[in-house]
């Protein structure tokens, strides 16, 4: 009996350790590549530099990624997933839907503002993972807009679908604004558009 | 004396006629090229087709334009100038600034909506003439926003410069909306964002 426990338990632990080690290396590669792009620009980054900065051999690096572009795609997928997680967390907070909507719009505008000018983002922003993330973001916003319309806090004379399109286009201005203070004013102006019109 | 009058007046008339004829041919070339692009797509249009559709010889066409792209650039410049003229006309109407602003936003949104999907526009939209037109449009909007803020019809807690950026981004949604009714609702939502916030 003891032998069977040993045989089933230890390899599992061992596998977990390997798996967690691989994940850590992978994360370190993504970080190293993103830093190198920020420092030297997209065009000049090589696999050798990424390996050196990560602290692994080139041969090891090629076991994880076939080229620099593949690393950057993985990096951007991680970024988009993390942004979406932030937005989901805000959506799941307690509170009135109009308030949660304003927080979500603020988070989204801040992310757009911070991403502005990123070469990696410009390169990868048409990827499938971005389209999916926008779809999910749109669904979350639509929920809150519908809830808010029902409770009378937000306008009900325009469909939530159209208001989502309005929000996302209006907030895309965040990337051309010079400061976070201006981004906050943009969010507040956008929210005014979503409140019930004065009768 | 008679001879001098003849010598100075007739050639002028003659030149005017030539000039006006050249302008007409040029306009006809632009129309023909734009129609061909709409019918057959950008990639397939040739100088021979444009000449034939205009009703002139190929050799004549080459006296006006060196290639299809040059024709399309001229066509797009004419489009942008005509859109700007429409916007200027609305700006110069009599009436309260908030009302004129709403009319201008409506005109701009309609133009964006109608242009959507145009291959020529997608190709040429980064040209210098477009940048200049946007600059002029921004100036007109900024005027009305500043006037409206002074008269209390529009919000004065955010600068006209930032509100122009908000307007133009919000209305860029017009190109992804399915109907003019939806475009009108977008303009109305955008206007709500520009009115003084409820105290």
């Amino acid at each position: 009996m003891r032998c069977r426990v040993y045989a089933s338990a230890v390899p599992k632990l061992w596998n977990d350790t390997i798996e967690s080690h691989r994940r850590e290396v992978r994360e370190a590669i993504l970080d190293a590549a993103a830093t190198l792009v920020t420092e030297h620009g997209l065009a000049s980054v090589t696999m050798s530099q990424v390996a050196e900065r990560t602290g692994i051999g080139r041969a090891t690096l090629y076991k994880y990624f076939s080229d620099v572009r593949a690393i950057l795609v993985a990096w951007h997928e991680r970024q988009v997933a993390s942004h979406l997680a932030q937005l989901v967390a805000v959506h799941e907070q307690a509170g009135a839907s109009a308030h949660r909507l304003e927080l979500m719009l603020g988070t989204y505008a801040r992310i757009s503002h911070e991403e502005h000018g990123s070469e990696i983002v410009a390169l990868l922003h048409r990827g499938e993972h971005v389209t999916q993330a926008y779809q999910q973001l749109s669904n979350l916003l639509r929920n809150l807009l519908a809830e808010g319309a029902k409770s009378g806090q937000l306008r009900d004379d325009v469909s939530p679908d159209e208001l989502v399109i309005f929000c996302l286009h209006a907030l895309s201005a965040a990337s051309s604004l010079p400061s976070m203070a201006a981004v906050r004013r943009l969010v507040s102006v956008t929210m005014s558009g979503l409140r019930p019109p004065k009768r």
Side-chain angles (χ1 to χ4, degrees), chain A:
Chain A
M1 277 302 276
R2 233 182 121 205
C3 203
R4 270 185 70 190
V5 169
Y6 185 85
S8 67
V10 173
K12 187 164 183 307
L13 279 173
W14 180 239
N15 281 338
D16 281 358
T17 310
I18 290 179
E19 195 42 54
S20 126
H21 172 73
R22 282 187 61 88
R23 259 201 307 274
E24 277 165 30
V25 174
R26 194 172 181 281
E27 301 286 293
I29 293 169
L30 303 188
D31 294 335
T35 310
L36 284 166
V37 169
T38 310
E39 286 173 7
H40 307 294
L42 199 55
S44 72
V45 175
T46 65
M47 289 294 269
S48 301
Q49 288 173 326
V50 175
E52 195 188 336
R53 182 65 69 102
T54 313
I56 58 179
R58 271 183 93 237
T60 308
L61 177 57
Y62 277 102
K63 286 186 192 148
Y64 287 82
F65 293 102
S66 60
D67 54 28
V68 172
R69 193 188 161 93
I71 304 177
L72 297 179
V73 168
W75 176 85
H76 192 241
E77 283 172 357
R78 189 180 72 177
Q79 284 289 99
V80 170
S82 135
H83 293 156
L84 197 59
Q86 290 173 46
L87 289 159
V88 169
V90 174
H91 181 265
E92 287 175 354
Q93 281 182 22
S97 42
H99 176 66
R100 286 152 67 209
L101 180 67
E102 182 153 11
L103 291 179
M104 273 195 78
L105 298 185
T107 305
Y108 175 71
R110 176 181 54 72
I111 291 168
S112 307
H113 180 68
E114 287 169 355
E115 274 199 338
H116 177 62
S118 157
E119 266 193 305
I120 309 182
V121 173
L123 177 73
L124 302 172
H125 216 67
R126 292 172 175 281
E128 181 60 22
H129 60 293
V130 176
T131 311
Q132 282 176 11
Y134 264 105
Q135 202 49 58
Q136 289 183 59
L137 170 59
S138 300
N139 293 341
L140 298 177
L141 294 175
R142 194 180 299 113
N143 282 347
L144 293 178
L145 284 159
E147 272 180 42
K150 221 177 270 177
S151 70
Q153 295 176 317
L154 299 174
R155 66 193 308 157
D156 62 1
D157 57 338
V158 177
S159 74
D161 278 318
E162 286 182 19
L163 292 176
V164 167
I165 296 175
F166 162 74
C167 287
L168 292 179
H169 279 81
L171 294 182
S172 69
S175 59
S176 32
L177 290 174
S179 68
M180 269 307 295
V183 170
R184 277 188 289 271
R185 288 190 291 270
L186 172 69
V187 171
S188 143
V189 171
T190 306
M191 274 304 292
S192 312
L194 301 173
R195 295 224 171 78
K198 296 173 194 173
R199 314 273 174 193

